[in-house]
Amino acid sequence: MAINSNNKKLTVVIGASANPQRYSYLAVSRLAAHGHPVVAIGLKDEKIGDTPVIKEHPAVEAVDTITLYLNPQRQPAYYDYILQLHPKRIIFNPGTENPELEQLAIKNGIEPIEACTLVMLSTGQY
């Protein structure tokens, strides 16, 4: 499927890791390969390809998607930040499903999606 350059979605990856064995690493790499601008937030300042992984929670404008690679027990520390970014959607990758955050998202006009970013990218559903 051809990638439409007008369809690029600014994505914030929360739980990013420079460990190539982690799904978050693959997600950041594949999002960038598909031409989507990526902000990668993790526990260490490191790099995934050309994308820096940062520990801070920067103010980011026009966020389309937040994709989570953080277990539900660690997510509450990010609730305010996620809601402040007001993305169009939050993708809860396998193992990150969190009914509390999903309800907060809905109350704030954000679409929660339980899916896999990697599958969505590979099937053209992203």
Side-chain angles (χ1 to χ4, degrees):
M1 178 174 207
I3 298 171
N4 180 346
S5 62
N6 296 330
N7 255 352
K8 300 307 172 201
K9 295 174 171 74
L10 174 58
T11 303
V12 176
V13 177
I14 297 179
S17 168
N19 178 346
Q21 303 299 314
R22 310 290 282 180
Y23 287 113
S24 63
Y25 176 94
L26 293 173
V28 170
S29 300
R30 292 194 187 150
L31 284 161
H34 279 81
H36 296 290
V38 179
V39 175
I41 298 174
L43 294 176
K44 299 181 204 166
D45 290 320
E46 46 195 1
K47 279 192 117 172
I48 299 173
D50 292 333
T51 305
V53 177
I54 57 175
K55 294 188 294 188
E56 295 81 30
H57 300 170
V60 183
E61 303 266 331
V63 175
D64 182 87
T65 304
I66 292 178
T67 185
L68 293 174
Y69 290 93
L70 202 60
N71 73 48
Q73 294 77 23
R74 304 218 14 231
Q75 292 173 18
Y78 291 86
Y79 286 2
D80 289 341
Y81 179 62
I82 289 168
L83 297 175
Q84 164 191 333
L85 293 178
H86 201 67
K88 292 179 183 169
R89 62 185 179 172
I90 300 171
I91 299 174
F92 291 84
N93 288 281
T96 68
E97 300 87 349
N98 179 344
E100 181 180 46
L101 182 51
E102 289 183 38
Q103 285 306 309
L104 278 171
I106 291 166
K107 286 179 185 171
N108 284 275
I110 302 165
E111 178 186 13
I113 300 172
E114 290 185 6
C116 176
T117 299
L118 297 171
V119 171
M120 291 175 74
L121 283 166
S122 68
T123 60
Q125 297 175 350
Y126 195 83

